[in-house]
Amino acid sequence: MNDQIENIKKNSIPVVLFGAGDIGTLAFHALKKRDIKVNFVCDSNPKKQGNFFYGTKIISPKELITKSRDVAIFICNNQYVDTVFSFLKEMKFNSIYNLVELLKNTDFSEFNLDQNTFSQLSIERQIELHEKNYLKVENSLNKKLDIPSVDVVITERCSLKCVACANLMQFYHRPQNSDKDLMFKSIDKLMNCIDSLYEFRVLGGDPFMNKQMYEFVNKLDTYKNVKQVTVYTNATIMPKGLNLECLKNKKVRVQITNYGKLSYKHDELVKHCKENNISCVSERVKKWQDVGTINYQNKSIEELESLFKRCCTNSVLTLLHGKLYRCPTSAHGTNLEAVPDKPEDIVNLGDDKLNLEETRKQLEDFYYNKKSITACYYCKGRDYAFGEIDAAIQTKRPLTIAKAN
């Protein structure tokens, strides 16, 4: 990376940041520290286009393709790395750079960054996730399975009833905890089939609703080929006993989605984490994408593939009741019988008939070759084409969801 940076400086090569988000902010400061000027900032989000990012006007991908093919492009996002990389290659851009080494070798403490978003722990996690997502692009050639994350759903129960929950918790009328034995067997098989995993994301609902959460967390902590176990919570419940003790494991961190007054245990939980040296990050969330619905729409193959390619959750692998899905909508939509249960949309890790070699082959095809899934017929998509809504608006009772034919 140092040689590449020196080449950019020596030859005054124009620099493009593709992505005007958190990684883009880190990239901008890392390059500025090395006296590298950012000439263009590109983003696919129409709401950002035309605005300014540290003094540079944000352009659209259509505007980008009018630029020289010799510009130096740094991909600056976590969720769309493979999609952006494919687009740039298709458009014949010659110099696409991996940011990871540059970011890892930058001390961001000297910059006046918002600590709610850019705490040291948050920066480290964002860089590591970016590294794993970039690895997917490189590993697609040799089918190596270095997975960024797997959502481990340990309960369907949630302490909130959000009308527009993207994970469809609002539609569960009789939510259940996950079967521990089936989950453990499924995770054992998964971890024996992949090369590495950056993080398990322990989810519900809210995982603190499961009084045996600690058993899942302690189990996940034992795998040598996983770096981190992240427990997600809305901070409406203060864990007790063993559920609290398991958070002290070195691999474990707590990720709080702070909904203001609704997250009434927030301050108590943050204080306890600090006092007990528990890794904890809190993110204040006020807006959501307007995507928390399931409705069938007849789409062409081209429309399905485009929707899937642009989706920010198409690689958010979700483990629910022994089955691995490509996204939360597929997992919970199928579980709620609102999306047809198709064997080609899952890897059934609970199937004892599949040996490790067969499971690995299924995982490779599942992870690298899928162009769309059945849930795409029922989903509006998860990109920037849809408006924002106020986050965590509550309903008193579970909502009704239409069953798939």
Side-chain angles (χ1 to χ4, degrees), residues 45-196:
N45 186 348
K47 292 183 178 180
K48 293 184 179 181
Q49 293 161 11
N51 295 322
F52 287 84
F53 187 81
Y54 293 100
T56 302
K57 189 175 181 180
I58 301 172
I59 64 174
S60 68
K62 286 184 178 180
E63 292 175 271
L64 178 63
I65 62 177
T66 67
K67 309 301 179 184
S68 166
R69 293 305 185 266
D70 294 322
V71 296
I73 301 181
F74 294 87
I75 299 176
C76 301
N77 60 51
N78 280 333
Q79 296 169 323
Y80 296 102
V81 172
D82 53 345
T83 300
V84 173
F85 187 87
S86 298
F87 166 76
L88 294 174
K89 282 294 186 183
E90 186 179 343
M91 294 297 107
K92 308 298 183 184
F93 284 99
N94 302 316
S95 302
I96 306 169
Y97 294 102
N98 186 339
L99 269 172
V100 173
E101 186 180 339
L102 175 68
L103 298 181
K104 284 185 174 181
N105 292 324
T106 301
D107 179 6
F108 292 98
S109 63
E110 63 189 71
F111 303 112
N112 187 26
L113 299 176
D114 179 5
Q115 289 303 293
N116 184 50
T117 304
F118 297 105
S119 67
Q120 184 61 35
L121 189 62
S122 294
I123 289 173
E124 290 173 0
R125 181 171 181 266
Q126 289 193 60
I127 293 172
E128 288 172 336
L129 280 173
H130 183 75
E131 181 177 27
K132 285 297 182 183
N133 281 295
Y134 213 102
L135 272 175
K136 183 181 179 182
V137 175
E138 298 174 356
N139 290 342
S140 63
L141 300 175
N142 57 21
K143 302 303 180 187
K144 193 175 180 183
L145 287 171
D146 291 309
I147 310 296
S149 68
V150 172
D151 285 6
V152 179
V153 182
I154 69 168
T155 184
E156 300 162 358
R157 294 183 168 96
C158 190
S159 52
L160 296 178
K161 290 184 175 64
C162 303
V163 173
C165 175
N167 283 13
L168 309 180
M169 295 298 111
Q170 67 273 36
F171 298 112
Y172 279 102
H173 286 248
R174 296 181 179 84
Q176 304 294 320
N177 290 336
S178 297
D179 181 272
K180 182 183 69 174
D181 293 334
L182 175 59
M183 181 69 80
F184 286 6
K185 181 175 74 171
S186 302
I187 297 172
D188 281 341
K189 179 177 278 190
L190 174 68
M191 298 308 287
N192 280 318
C193 289
I194 67 175
D195 297 294
S196 71

